């Protein structure tokens, strides 16, 4: 186990949700009142990088694959992927079935 440290002092609540074989970690950190969540990416090379606001529906989720591509859903129901080099790319809306990040 490796302690990656506190993410942001103003946001004391966080959890890692996905890790790949290269040791890249993604997760969520929350506002003190849990009213919003933002995604983060962490690697030994970069430290913590904020990705953006994540949907709170179904608890919110964020995943990373073996190539370092991160996937989630924003609060407006837009599915997106994120990479270190390309940033956020929106892929469309989740539709009427709800968002399942």
């Amino acid at each position: 186990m490796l302690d990656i440290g506190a993410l942001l002092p103003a946001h004391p609540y966080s959890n890692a949700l996905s890790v790949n074989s290269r040791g890249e970690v993604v997760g969520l950190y929350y506002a003190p009142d849990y009213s919003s969540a933002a995604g983060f990416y962490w690697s030994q090379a970069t430290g913590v990088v904020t990705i953006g606001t994540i949907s709170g529906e179904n608890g919110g989720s964020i995943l990373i694959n073996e190539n370092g591509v991160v996937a989630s859903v924003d609060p407006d129901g837009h599915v997106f992927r994120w990479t270190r080099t390309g940033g956020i790319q929106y892929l469309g809306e989740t539709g009427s079935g709800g968002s399942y990040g």
Side-chain angles (χ1 to χ4, degrees):
M1 185 166 62
L2 174 67
D3 182 354
I4 64 173
L7 296 178
L8 297 171
H11 299 276
Y13 310 110
S14 62
N15 59 354
L17 296 173
S18 185
V19 62
N20 65 19
S21 65
R22 300 188 315 191
E24 298 168 306
V25 178
V26 294
L28 299 175
Y29 64 90
Y30 304 90
D33 64 357
Y34 287 96
S35 62
S36 63
F40 72 86
Y41 164 91
W42 178 93
S43 73
Q44 284 189 321
T46 65
V48 175
V49 176
T50 300
I51 293 175
T53 305
I54 306 298
S55 173
E57 188 172 324
N58 299 313
S61 65
I62 188 168
L63 302 168
I64 189 167
N65 71 15
E66 291 303 308
N67 296 317
V69 178
V70 176
S72 192
V73 178
D74 75 8
D76 295 323
H78 300 112
V79 178
F80 69 88
R81 69 181 184 175
W82 176 93
T83 63
R84 285 177 47 193
T85 57
I88 290 179
Q89 288 183 302
Y90 288 98
L91 305 175
E93 295 185 21
T94 58
S96 62
S99 59
Y100 293 94

